[in-house]
Amino acid sequence: MRVLQLGPYPPPHGGVQANLSAIRAALLARGDTCPVMVITRADTVADEIEVYRPQGPIELLITLIFLDFGIVHLHLGGNLTLRLLLLALVCAWLPGRRSVLTFHSGGYPSTPAGQKARPNSLSGFVFRQLDRVIGVNP
């Protein structure tokens, strides 16, 4: 199995980064392949095999289209911005691939965006496009 994970990746180290790293380590230990695409910027960068750090949205899209994987696993935490919703939608619509979103924020329902989310809202539409949505609380 080849699972592409998108999200924040160390450094810096935090809760979402630790979860993404642990999933990657478990998949690699099983003998699976698990490239990572980092969607945050870091001051220091460790040079690791199959860790991609696109320099902007166009490079990110090109890498998503041409990279070989069967499952894309997007990790989001904090605010669910329009940019992140669009990234989730792109992941959901990648042809021939399954999509998983892990939402690492128990506080989302209490945010203004979470309060406005409805089945007919943009976030409701995007969540329905994904194959799986996982909500993680503290």
Side-chain angles (χ1 to χ4, degrees), residues 12-50:
H13 297 273
V16 179
Q17 293 91 331
N19 182 260
L20 194 151
S21 296
I23 292 171
R24 183 174 197 229
L27 286 167
L28 293 174
R30 275 184 14 172
D32 295 323
T33 307
C34 187
V36 172
M37 189 174 314
V38 183
I39 60 172
T40 56
R41 292 196 174 100
D43 294 334
T44 59
V45 175
D47 189 24
E48 292 185 57
I49 296 172
E50 286 205 291

Short mmCIF file of all heavy atoms in Angstrom, two decimals, residues 12-50:
data_model
loop_
_atom_site.label_atom_id
_atom_site.label_comp_id
_atom_site.label_asym_id
_atom_site.label_seq_id
_atom_site.Cartn_x
_atom_site.Cartn_y
_atom_site.Cartn_z
N PRO A 12 8.55 22.10 13.10
CA PRO A 12 8.57 21.93 14.55
C PRO A 12 7.74 20.73 14.95
O PRO A 12 6.99 20.18 14.14
CB PRO A 12 7.95 23.22 15.06
CG PRO A 12 7.00 23.62 13.99
CD PRO A 12 7.65 23.19 12.69
N HIS A 13 7.85 20.34 16.20
CA HIS A 13 7.12 19.19 16.72
C HIS A 13 5.88 19.66 17.45
O HIS A 13 5.92 20.59 18.23
CB HIS A 13 8.01 18.37 17.65
CG HIS A 13 9.19 17.79 16.94
ND1 HIS A 13 9.14 16.59 16.28
CD2 HIS A 13 10.43 18.27 16.74
CE1 HIS A 13 10.31 16.35 15.72
NE2 HIS A 13 11.12 17.35 15.99
N GLY A 14 4.76 19.01 17.19
CA GLY A 14 3.50 19.33 17.85
C GLY A 14 2.60 18.11 17.78
O GLY A 14 3.00 17.03 17.31
N GLY A 15 1.35 18.26 18.19
CA GLY A 15 0.43 17.14 18.25
C GLY A 15 0.12 16.54 16.89
O GLY A 15 0.17 15.32 16.70
N VAL A 16 -0.21 17.39 15.91
CA VAL A 16 -0.54 16.88 14.57
C VAL A 16 0.70 16.27 13.93
O VAL A 16 0.63 15.19 13.33
CB VAL A 16 -1.13 18.00 13.68
CG1 VAL A 16 -1.43 17.48 12.30
CG2 VAL A 16 -2.37 18.61 14.32
N GLN A 17 1.84 16.94 14.09
CA GLN A 17 3.09 16.41 13.53
C GLN A 17 3.44 15.06 14.13
O GLN A 17 3.89 14.15 13.43
CB GLN A 17 4.26 17.39 13.77
CG GLN A 17 4.15 18.68 13.03
CD GLN A 17 3.43 19.76 13.81
OE1 GLN A 17 2.58 19.50 14.65
NE2 GLN A 17 3.76 21.01 13.51
N ALA A 18 3.24 14.91 15.44
CA ALA A 18 3.53 13.64 16.11
C ALA A 18 2.63 12.53 15.58
O ALA A 18 3.08 11.40 15.35
CB ALA A 18 3.37 13.79 17.62
N ASN A 19 1.35 12.85 15.37
CA ASN A 19 0.41 11.85 14.85
C ASN A 19 0.80 11.43 13.43
O ASN A 19 0.84 10.24 13.13
CB ASN A 19 -1.01 12.41 14.89
CG ASN A 19 -2.03 11.41 14.40
OD1 ASN A 19 -2.47 11.49 13.27
ND2 ASN A 19 -2.41 10.49 15.27
N LEU A 20 1.09 12.39 12.58
CA LEU A 20 1.48 12.08 11.21
C LEU A 20 2.75 11.25 11.20
O LEU A 20 2.85 10.24 10.48
CB LEU A 20 1.67 13.39 10.43
CG LEU A 20 1.77 13.28 8.92
CD1 LEU A 20 1.25 14.56 8.28
CD2 LEU A 20 3.17 13.02 8.46
N SER A 21 3.73 11.61 12.02
CA SER A 21 5.00 10.87 12.09
C SER A 21 4.78 9.45 12.59
O SER A 21 5.40 8.50 12.09
CB SER A 21 5.98 11.59 13.01
OG SER A 21 6.32 12.84 12.48
N ALA A 22 3.91 9.27 13.58
CA ALA A 22 3.64 7.94 14.13
C ALA A 22 2.95 7.04 13.09
O ALA A 22 3.28 5.86 12.97
CB ALA A 22 2.78 8.05 15.39
N ILE A 23 2.00 7.60 12.35
CA ILE A 23 1.33 6.83 11.29
C ILE A 23 2.34 6.43 10.23
O ILE A 23 2.36 5.28 9.77
CB ILE A 23 0.16 7.61 10.68
CG1 ILE A 23 -0.96 7.77 11.71
CG2 ILE A 23 -0.35 6.95 9.41
CD1 ILE A 23 -2.07 8.71 11.28
N ARG A 24 3.20 7.37 9.86
CA ARG A 24 4.22 7.07 8.86
C ARG A 24 5.15 5.95 9.34
O ARG A 24 5.44 5.01 8.60
CB ARG A 24 5.03 8.32 8.52
CG ARG A 24 6.05 8.05 7.43
CD ARG A 24 6.75 9.31 6.99
NE ARG A 24 7.39 9.07 5.71
CZ ARG A 24 8.64 9.39 5.45
NH1 ARG A 24 9.38 9.98 6.35
NH2 ARG A 24 9.15 9.13 4.26
N ALA A 25 5.60 6.04 10.57
CA ALA A 25 6.50 5.03 11.13
C ALA A 25 5.83 3.65 11.14
O ALA A 25 6.45 2.64 10.81
CB ALA A 25 6.95 5.43 12.53
N ALA A 26 4.55 3.61 11.52
CA ALA A 26 3.82 2.33 11.55
C ALA A 26 3.67 1.75 10.15
O ALA A 26 3.83 0.53 9.96
CB ALA A 26 2.45 2.53 12.20
N LEU A 27 3.35 2.58 9.17
CA LEU A 27 3.20 2.09 7.80
C LEU A 27 4.54 1.59 7.26
O LEU A 27 4.61 0.53 6.62
CB LEU A 27 2.64 3.19 6.89
CG LEU A 27 1.16 3.50 7.08
CD1 LEU A 27 0.79 4.79 6.37
CD2 LEU A 27 0.31 2.34 6.60
N LEU A 28 5.62 2.33 7.51
CA LEU A 28 6.94 1.91 7.05
C LEU A 28 7.37 0.61 7.73
O LEU A 28 7.96 -0.26 7.09
CB LEU A 28 7.97 3.02 7.29
CG LEU A 28 7.78 4.29 6.46
CD1 LEU A 28 8.76 5.37 6.89
CD2 LEU A 28 7.89 4.01 4.97
N ALA A 29 7.05 0.45 9.02
CA ALA A 29 7.39 -0.78 9.74
C ALA A 29 6.65 -1.99 9.17
O ALA A 29 7.18 -3.11 9.20
CB ALA A 29 7.07 -0.62 11.22
N ARG A 30 5.45 -1.76 8.63
CA ARG A 30 4.68 -2.84 8.00
C ARG A 30 5.19 -3.19 6.61
O ARG A 30 4.75 -4.14 6.00
CB ARG A 30 3.22 -2.41 7.81
CG ARG A 30 2.36 -2.62 8.97
CD ARG A 30 0.91 -2.29 8.73
NE ARG A 30 0.48 -2.11 7.36
CZ ARG A 30 -0.78 -1.98 6.99
NH1 ARG A 30 -1.73 -2.00 7.89
NH2 ARG A 30 -1.12 -1.79 5.74
N GLY A 31 6.08 -2.36 6.09
CA GLY A 31 6.60 -2.58 4.74
C GLY A 31 5.87 -1.79 3.68
O GLY A 31 6.12 -1.95 2.48
N ASP A 32 4.94 -0.92 4.09
CA ASP A 32 4.24 -0.06 3.15
C ASP A 32 5.11 1.15 2.80
O ASP A 32 6.12 1.40 3.45
CB ASP A 32 2.91 0.43 3.75
CG ASP A 32 1.93 -0.70 3.98
OD1 ASP A 32 1.89 -1.63 3.15
OD2 ASP A 32 1.21 -0.66 4.99
N THR A 33 4.71 1.86 1.79
CA THR A 33 5.39 3.08 1.39
C THR A 33 4.55 4.26 1.83
O THR A 33 3.34 4.25 1.67
CB THR A 33 5.58 3.11 -0.15
OG1 THR A 33 6.20 1.90 -0.54
CG2 THR A 33 6.43 4.27 -0.57
N CYS A 34 5.21 5.28 2.38
CA CYS A 34 4.45 6.40 2.94
C CYS A 34 5.18 7.72 2.70
O CYS A 34 5.84 8.24 3.60
CB CYS A 34 4.21 6.18 4.43
SG CYS A 34 3.11 7.40 5.15
N PRO A 35 5.05 8.28 1.50
CA PRO A 35 5.61 9.61 1.29
C PRO A 35 4.81 10.66 2.07
O PRO A 35 3.65 10.43 2.43
CB PRO A 35 5.48 9.83 -0.22
CG PRO A 35 4.40 8.91 -0.65
CD PRO A 35 4.40 7.76 0.30
N VAL A 36 5.44 11.78 2.34
CA VAL A 36 4.82 12.88 3.07
C VAL A 36 4.95 14.15 2.25
O VAL A 36 6.02 14.43 1.70
CB VAL A 36 5.49 13.09 4.45
CG1 VAL A 36 4.97 14.34 5.13
CG2 VAL A 36 5.28 11.88 5.33
N MET A 37 3.86 14.90 2.15
CA MET A 37 3.91 16.23 1.55
C MET A 37 3.62 17.24 2.65
O MET A 37 2.55 17.22 3.25
CB MET A 37 2.93 16.39 0.40
CG MET A 37 3.17 17.69 -0.35
SD MET A 37 2.17 17.92 -1.83
CE MET A 37 2.30 16.38 -2.65
N VAL A 38 4.59 18.10 2.92
CA VAL A 38 4.49 19.06 4.01
C VAL A 38 3.74 20.29 3.51
O VAL A 38 4.11 20.87 2.48
CB VAL A 38 5.89 19.45 4.51
CG1 VAL A 38 5.80 20.40 5.70
CG2 VAL A 38 6.70 18.20 4.87
N ILE A 39 2.69 20.69 4.24
CA ILE A 39 1.89 21.84 3.81
C ILE A 39 2.09 23.04 4.73
O ILE A 39 1.31 23.98 4.70
CB ILE A 39 0.40 21.49 3.69
CG1 ILE A 39 -0.18 21.02 5.02
CG2 ILE A 39 0.19 20.44 2.61
CD1 ILE A 39 -1.69 20.85 5.01
N THR A 40 3.16 23.00 5.54
CA THR A 40 3.50 24.14 6.39
C THR A 40 4.96 24.50 6.13
O THR A 40 5.72 23.71 5.59
CB THR A 40 3.33 23.80 7.89
OG1 THR A 40 4.12 22.65 8.19
CG2 THR A 40 1.88 23.55 8.23
N ARG A 41 5.32 25.69 6.54
CA ARG A 41 6.71 26.14 6.39
C ARG A 41 7.44 25.95 7.70
O ARG A 41 6.86 26.09 8.77
CB ARG A 41 6.74 27.60 5.97
CG ARG A 41 6.21 27.78 4.57
CD ARG A 41 6.60 29.14 4.02
NE ARG A 41 6.19 29.22 2.63
CZ ARG A 41 5.10 29.83 2.21
NH1 ARG A 41 4.31 30.42 3.07
NH2 ARG A 41 4.81 29.86 0.93
N ALA A 42 8.74 25.65 7.62
CA ALA A 42 9.56 25.48 8.81
C ALA A 42 10.87 26.24 8.62
O ALA A 42 11.36 26.38 7.50
CB ALA A 42 9.83 24.00 9.06
N ASP A 43 11.43 26.71 9.74
CA ASP A 43 12.72 27.41 9.68
C ASP A 43 13.86 26.44 9.38
O ASP A 43 14.78 26.76 8.65
CB ASP A 43 12.99 28.13 11.00
CG ASP A 43 12.00 29.25 11.25
OD1 ASP A 43 11.45 29.79 10.26
OD2 ASP A 43 11.79 29.60 12.42
N THR A 44 13.78 25.25 9.97
CA THR A 44 14.79 24.23 9.72
C THR A 44 14.11 23.04 9.05
O THR A 44 12.96 22.74 9.32
CB THR A 44 15.46 23.77 11.03
OG1 THR A 44 14.45 23.25 11.89
CG2 THR A 44 16.19 24.91 11.71
N VAL A 45 14.86 22.39 8.17
CA VAL A 45 14.28 21.29 7.41
C VAL A 45 15.22 20.09 7.47
O VAL A 45 16.40 20.21 7.16
CB VAL A 45 14.05 21.69 5.93
CG1 VAL A 45 13.57 20.52 5.12
CG2 VAL A 45 13.09 22.85 5.84
N ALA A 46 14.70 18.96 7.90
CA ALA A 46 15.47 17.73 7.89
C ALA A 46 15.35 17.11 6.50
O ALA A 46 14.29 17.13 5.90
CB ALA A 46 14.94 16.77 8.95
N ASP A 47 16.44 16.57 5.99
CA ASP A 47 16.44 15.95 4.67
C ASP A 47 16.07 14.48 4.83
O ASP A 47 16.85 13.68 5.35
CB ASP A 47 17.82 16.09 4.03
CG ASP A 47 17.84 15.65 2.59
OD1 ASP A 47 16.76 15.68 1.95
OD2 ASP A 47 18.91 15.28 2.09
N GLU A 48 14.85 14.12 4.43
CA GLU A 48 14.37 12.75 4.55
C GLU A 48 13.91 12.25 3.19
O GLU A 48 13.42 13.01 2.37
CB GLU A 48 13.21 12.66 5.53
CG GLU A 48 13.58 12.93 6.96
CD GLU A 48 12.41 12.69 7.89
OE1 GLU A 48 11.86 11.57 7.88
OE2 GLU A 48 12.05 13.63 8.60
N ILE A 49 14.01 10.95 3.00
CA ILE A 49 13.57 10.33 1.76
C ILE A 49 12.06 10.40 1.68
O ILE A 49 11.36 10.12 2.65
CB ILE A 49 14.05 8.87 1.69
CG1 ILE A 49 15.58 8.84 1.64
CG2 ILE A 49 13.45 8.15 0.49
CD1 ILE A 49 16.17 7.45 1.77
N GLU A 50 11.56 10.79 0.53
CA GLU A 50 10.13 10.89 0.22
C GLU A 50 9.37 11.84 1.14
O GLU A 50 8.21 11.62 1.47
CB GLU A 50 9.46 9.51 0.21
CG GLU A 50 9.82 8.71 -1.03
CD GLU A 50 8.77 7.68 -1.36
OE1 GLU A 50 8.62 6.70 -0.59
OE2 GLU A 50 8.11 7.87 -2.39
#
